[in-house]
Amino acid sequence: MMLIPTHHFRDIERKPEYLQPEKCVPPPHPGPVGTMWFIRDGCGIACAIVTWFLVLYAEFVVLFVMLIPSRDYVYSVINGIVFNLLAFLALASHCRAMLTDPGAVPKGNATKEFIESLQLKPGQVVYKCPKCCSIKPDRAHHCSVCKRCIRKMDHHCPWVNNCVGENNQKYFVLFTMYIALISLHALIMVGFHFLHCFEEDWTKCSSFSPPTTVILLILLCFEGLLFLIFTSVMFGTQVHSICTDETGIERLKRKHQPRERRASWKSVKETFGGDFSPNWFNPFSRPCDPEPLSDRDWVRQVASLSDMDNTETTEEQSEERKDEDSVEVIDE
Ligand SMILES: [Zn+2]
Ligand SMILES: [Zn+2]
């Protein structure tokens, strides 16, 4: 075989024929705009149903075991309103986190035409996801459950049956916060109830029999403690992620891929939707719209061109690279 000078390889490899784009065709039915986002994952759907069931169980015990039988009317009304409001906000945040597109990259956009239209310059690469055939912008990762590349993916959470990403992180943070708050509130009420019942006649404490009442309250205690610990840790981790502008995945990869971060306040404002206001805590108010992706966002700069040159010395190596799509189009 004839050896061709290195720079020729570079020219050849820049031609899209070598990028195997024929494998990538846009999805046949893109779906009408505004279609509801919902992940059809059995495990995730089961976890989401369990979450709702546990909140409704707490609701039942708080109302029918503790508040309604209580003779202190003011105590019951105030605690009933606070608990129900927090539970409603928790479930609303759960729905929003589950049914909001977390920031999916258009599927199958790694087409020949699209890559050509980006007009890559020397030192520029695009990262192609071999699983969903999309071009990954910076900070996007592929989720094997959602089967999509998600912008600023933090993790896939089965409890909300969705990825936590750029567009729904606010709802996820609110969900963990409200669940932690109702858990704490329920625990405090159980504590008061036990104290009150030990002082008074136990049989007048609840409309259920004493053994049933104790079992229901102890189960609520376990549930409250478990959820309080789990969701407050999650809430803390998420707030830390937002303040440091670093997703869970990026934290794991930090040593290999150091990157520039934005100021923490800017990141917090973008996640929760503008300047500080009560809307930050409202699951019905949307976070800031992410900036639409421009051509520039799909293309990434290679750190050092010489790294690429050094490996392109022989024809065989170049042939290998060609198969891996590794010069312009990098499978991640
Ligand atoms: Zn992907
Ligand atoms: Zn996912």
Side-chain angles (χ1 to χ4, degrees), residues 176-177 180 226-238:
T176 56
M177 183 184 84
L226 212 68
F227 267 66
L228 177 62
I229 295 168
F230 185 66
T231 52
S232 17
V233 169
M234 204 66 219
F235 176 76
T237 318
Q238 287 291 307

Side-chain angles (χ1 to χ4, degrees), residues 6-14 305 308-309 312 327:
T6 307
H7 65 273
H8 276 195
F9 278 125
R10 303 202 65 116
D11 290 339
I12 290 165
E13 287 183 42
R14 262 169 229 300
L305 262 178
M308 283 163 63
D309 286 337
E312 279 184 308
V327 174

